[in-house]
Amino acid sequence: MIDVLYFAWVRERIGEPRERIETEARTVAELVEELRGRELRYQLAFEDLSALRCALDQELADFDAPLDGVREVAFFPPMTGG
Amino acid sequence: MGRVRVQSEDFDPATELAGFGAEGDVGAIVTFSGIVRGTGGLSRMEIEHYPGMTQSAIEKIVAEAERRWALDDCLVIHRHGEMVPGERIMMVATASRHRQDAFAAAEFLMDYLKSRAPFWKKEFGPDGAAWVAAKDSDEAALTRWSASEG
């Protein structure tokens, strides 16, 4: 089981801020592929990966990063702090 | 050594700076405050963040600034939640022996807070609500720091 968090417009498109997912995905990209296959709202949220960033256990990561031992995955658009 | 605070409440820079940089042989203090602009009839702004990550992400940015420049003190305060034009969003303060280090570190902190701290701004105006898009220039601002190691 893995916690998946969504922020900003990704959260709005998915319709919830977090969920627990049972997955066999080995990488973030595989998880994205799996989610895309679920429902239209996931397809819309993950339409363009170049517009998305992800974090594994609160650390920024690449989409090809492995999910081994990861407890929390977060998806969000590029950050706009400051 | 540097202090980081993430909060929804407003803050008073004068209060925050009392005693700032009082230790060490400080010759320069630089402060920066970011304010919500009312451009384009903006009525309010909402800043979302990633509670589990924000504090540690900013602490890492501060640690990197302290590694690159000789800072005697460093403070970052960043708000989240709802704000109206004129309200403070965040502040950065750096104290150093020399102004070059204080200015450079403050600019570095600002550049990294903009695109590496997990905040997302949503603006509400006459045409409705829209998420603020990151600019290419935000990323470009980071490359100049990797090009000039400290």
Side-chain angles (χ1 to χ4, degrees), chain A residues 5-9 11-12 53 55 57-60 72-74 76-82, chain B residues 48-50 52-53 60 78 89-90 113-122 131-134:
Chain A
L5 278 63
Y6 309 107
F7 293 96
W9 58 255
R11 170 180 56 73
E12 291 177 340
R53 301 289 179 270
D57 290 334
Q58 299 93 42
E59 296 262 3
L60 286 173
E72 186 172 294
V73 182
F76 40 79
M79 296 161 265
T80 52
Chain B
E48 182 173 334
H49 79 125
Y50 183 172
M53 178 177 171
K60 278 177 208 147
H78 203 303
I89 303 173
M90 52 85 66
L113 285 168
K114 207 157 193 64
S115 45
R116 291 293 182 272
F119 293 99
W120 299 275
K121 295 190 180 110
K122 192 177 193 178
W131 290 98
V132 174

Side-chain angles (χ1 to χ4, degrees), chain B residues 21 33-34 56 58 60 76 83 97 106 122 132 143:
Chain B
S33 296
S56 64
I58 301 177
K60 278 177 208 147
V76 175
M83 280 155 250
R97 194 181 171 94
K122 192 177 193 178
V132 174
T143 50

Side-chain angles (χ1 to χ4, degrees), chain B residues 20 39 54 62 72 80 83 93 112:
Chain B
F20 181 82
T39 315
T54 317
V62 167
D72 292 288
H80 56 86
M83 280 155 250
Y112 272 81

